[in-house]
Amino acid sequence: MAGIKSLAKDTAIYGLSSIIGRFLNWCLVPLYTQVFPAAEYGVVTYVYSVVALALIILTYGMETGFFRFANHERWRDPMQVYSTALISLAVTSTAFIALVWAFLPQATHAMECDGHPSFVLMMAVCVAIDAFLALPFSYLRYRKRPMRFALLRLVNIGVNIGLNLFFIILCPWLWRVCPAAISWFYDPDFGIGYIFLANLIASVVNIVMMLPELTGFRYRFCGRLLREMLIYSAPLLVLGVAGIMNQTIDKILYPSLVADAAEAMHGLGIYGANYKIAIVMVMFIQAFRFAYEPFIFARNKEAGADRNKAYSDAMKYFVLFGLGIFLFVMFYLDILKYFISPKYFEGLRVVPLIMLAELFFGIFFNLSLWYKLTDKTIWGAWFSLLGLAVTVVLNIILVPRMGYMGCALAALASYFIMMITSYFVGRAKYPIPYPVGRILAYFGLAAVIFAAGMAMDTPLRAVNWAARAVLLVAYVAVIVRCEHIPLAAALKRLRR
């Protein structure tokens, strides 16, 4: 139980930085759309979509590879693993910058940034820095230093947002009232370039703050170790690329699957806006992932029964928290929906499907421990490619008939199939006694409470909210009782 408490604490800390960061970055979107024309903001959207894919490729699964080999029985010196992986990432990140520099005109055209090669070069450097720093951040997770991890993340976000406000709001005002004060560095025609410049400066600040994790030890490179890490991590690269594509391919395919172009972009806008409401579940899964990988590799050294119980308990509590988040969002959707404009409310019906799909993906991530611990990461690639195939096929079948609801159903089916397939294959190759019956019972409990909450639809919103709050308390009470959680003792300690 101590291990689960530690996992919960680390998840909460990682979650705080993730939630704050995503919320603050989300708050920049209205600023961008107010200041820049749609065509210019479209360039920003396109560039960052490519950046997400490039970042996955440039880290090539080394984060998980580091955790595996830092806890590997044949490689007893974690610092040798860390320094070997750091050198590898430094070389590939530098090579990436050189490659972009060598083909800058072609890259600028491909990124829809014609006339602005500096935009592409800045983001290439950002991606290279972030890919390199992925490992020091993993090292902090390995060392169980979630507070420093969260601090560095929040400083990066704070610098980025502060510079965005400086360049996009303050500088244009100063240019109007006192241009001489800023003319030595500010160019009003640089436009969206300041978004990329803010990102670049924030990344440079991050690497400076990361110096304690990059110095103070002897760098040792081992070619044999790197080869083993690359063999282990290569399927994770496929998994990562397929995972990113699985999240974005529906939005890429949607315009080509709807006959009317105007209707297609309208539907895609509705779907994309409502997808953002499900970010609550996404943030929980991301926070859990940051804490879970070091947890599973550390527990792998324990005796079989204790280790498997820790994995089993982690799955159970993940599902319990995930179901609680689902119920909370759905019960108070008539409040949370105001995160988007009322003109997008017609798409709220996709929210429960997306929330449930993300929960299935989180369970799939939990189940992924078996192929990571047995060095059979190729299975992760197969599962992700299977999910991607399901997504593509169902989008092609459903979207012409159902519009964006087809996208949501495809996502739900894809993650469900990935989850089920991983469970049955894992049960054969690395059996862990997950409490499947109990977990299904909790799904049933959540379904009953969800149905009861949705049935409470009176004209008085306050009455609905109060009744649903009672149902949420009932859900928590049932869990506390069934899991024998000493909640009273914990509350008593808090009062002290």
Side-chain angles (χ1 to χ4, degrees):
M1 193 67 182
I4 296 298
K5 289 179 180 177
S6 175
L7 176 63
K9 183 191 75 173
D10 290 352
T11 301
I13 297 172
Y14 293 129
L16 178 63
S17 63
S18 177
I19 290 168
I20 294 174
R22 281 181 176 264
F23 175 74
L24 292 176
N25 281 326
W26 180 85
C27 289
L28 287 174
V29 174
L31 171 64
Y32 295 157
T33 53
Q34 287 291 328
V35 173
F36 301 113
E40 290 188 28
Y41 184 62
V43 173
V44 176
T45 303
Y46 184 78
V47 167
Y48 276 106
S49 66
V50 175
V51 162
L53 180 60
L55 191 57
I56 293 292
I57 294 172
L58 283 178
T59 53
Y60 44 91
M62 274 294 178
E63 295 171 278
T64 303
F66 165 70
F67 285 120
R68 173 60 180 132
F69 284 84
N71 293 279
H72 204 290
E73 58 277 2
R74 290 194 297 104
W75 300 96
R76 300 187 180 278
D77 185 357
M79 295 312 296
Q80 184 183 32
V81 177
Y82 180 54
S83 58
T84 295
L86 267 181
I87 292 170
S88 177
L89 284 173
V91 170
T92 52
S93 295
T94 304
F96 174 73
I97 296 173
L99 188 65
V100 173
W101 177 273
F103 296 94
L104 189 56
Q106 295 88 339
T108 301
H109 178 69
M111 296 289 287
E112 306 291 340
C113 295
D114 289 318
H116 299 283
S118 60
F119 294 0
V120 175
L121 193 57
M122 284 191 294
M123 290 313 298
V125 175
C126 284
V127 170
I129 292 175
D130 291 347
F132 175 70
L133 290 182
L135 198 63
F137 273 114
S138 296
Y139 180 66
L140 288 174
R141 291 156 58 197
Y142 170 76
R143 293 284 304 276
K144 296 193 178 298
R145 299 189 62 189
M147 293 299 293
R148 177 159 171 77
F149 179 100
L151 174 64
L152 289 169
R153 290 282 191 188
L154 291 175
V155 168
N156 175 265
I157 293 161
V159 170
N160 188 27
I161 291 173
L163 289 173
N164 269 275
L165 297 177
F166 174 74
F167 286 129
I168 298 174
I169 295 179
L170 182 59
C171 283
W173 177 78
L174 289 172
W175 186 259
R176 290 192 298 270
V177 300
C178 186
I182 60 172
S183 59
W184 60 279
F185 72 87
Y186 179 72
D187 178 5
D189 295 329
F190 199 54
I192 58 172
Y194 285 114
I195 298 175
F196 306 135
L197 179 60
N199 198 330
L200 174 61
I201 295 173
S203 295
V204 171
V205 169
N206 228 15
I207 203 168
V208 172
M209 293 186 66
M210 273 284 193
L211 285 177
E213 282 69 44
L214 299 171
T215 57
F217 59 92
R218 185 165 66 91
Y219 278 80
R220 288 173 295 160
F221 179 80
C222 178
R224 186 164 65 92
L225 170 60
L226 179 61
R227 283 193 298 273
E228 291 193 22
M229 292 182 74
L230 290 175
I231 292 170
Y232 176 87
S233 300
L236 297 178
L237 170 60
V238 178
L239 189 156
V241 171
I244 287 290
M245 292 298 292
N246 212 10
Q247 295 172 17
T248 59
I249 195 68
D250 53 351
K251 302 170 188 69
I252 295 171
L253 290 175
Y254 192 87
S256 63
L257 296 174
V258 178
D260 184 84
E263 182 185 343
M265 296 314 296
H266 174 77
L268 186 58
I270 297 291
Y271 178 62
N274 283 276
Y275 206 109
K276 291 184 181 297
I277 297 177
I279 203 171
V280 180
M281 186 70 79
V282 174
M283 289 187 292
F284 166 62
I285 293 169
Q286 182 181 18
F288 183 83
R289 180 176 67 84
F290 285 147
Y292 190 59
E293 283 191 327
F295 171 81
I296 64 169
F297 286 113
R299 289 293 175 277
N300 195 39
K301 299 176 181 178
E302 297 178 356
D306 293 339
R307 176 194 62 208
N308 289 344
K309 185 177 188 309
Y311 297 154
S312 173
D313 287 345
M315 170 68 84
K316 178 177 63 179
Y317 288 113
F318 172 85
V319 172
L320 291 177
F321 275 100
L323 289 172
I325 291 171
F326 175 85
L327 290 173
F328 176 82
V329 171
M330 298 314 304
F331 281 178
Y332 296 99
L333 187 58
D334 51 356
I335 300 174
L336 297 174
K337 68 184 181 182
Y338 288 102
F339 277 111
I340 60 176
S341 170
K343 62 186 177 182
Y344 294 97
F345 286 175
E346 67 178 82
L348 289 171
R349 54 202 174 121
V350 305
V351 175
L353 298 178
I354 297 301
M355 291 283 292
L356 200 55
E358 293 293 343
L359 179 58
F360 288 160
F361 177 75
I363 296 173
F364 166 74
F365 179 80
N366 268 269
L367 293 168
S368 71
L369 68 87
W370 73 262
Y371 57 76
K372 292 177 181 177
L373 293 176
T374 58
D375 299 344
K376 299 184 183 298
T377 49
I378 187 64
W379 281 101
W382 290 127
F383 296 144
S384 294
L385 290 172
L386 171 64
L388 180 59
V390 171
T391 299
V392 171
V393 171
L394 288 183
N395 270 275
I396 292 172
I397 294 172
L398 298 177
V399 168
R401 296 171 173 80
M402 307 174 64
Y404 52 78
M405 280 297 291
C407 294
L409 287 170
L412 180 64
S414 172
Y415 288 141
F416 178 79
I417 290 172
M418 289 168 63
M419 174 186 70
I420 292 297
T421 306
S422 182
Y423 170 72
F424 282 108
V425 176
R427 190 172 69 170
K429 294 185 175 293
Y430 194 93
I432 294 174
Y434 293 117
V436 176
R438 185 174 285 255
I439 287 173
L440 290 175
Y442 287 134
F443 264 99
L445 171 67
V448 170
I449 290 178
F450 171 70
M454 293 298 100
M456 294 175 180
D457 189 16
T458 70
L460 299 175
R461 284 189 174 184
V463 173
N464 296 336
W465 298 338
R468 291 168 182 170
V470 171
L471 288 173
L472 283 174
V473 171
Y475 171 77
V476 174
V478 170
I479 290 170
V480 168
R481 182 175 181 83
C482 291
E483 296 300 323
H484 307 290
I485 300 173
L487 189 59
L491 292 174
K492 187 175 181 180
R493 284 196 298 269
L494 284 175
R495 285 198 297 269
R496 292 176 180 173

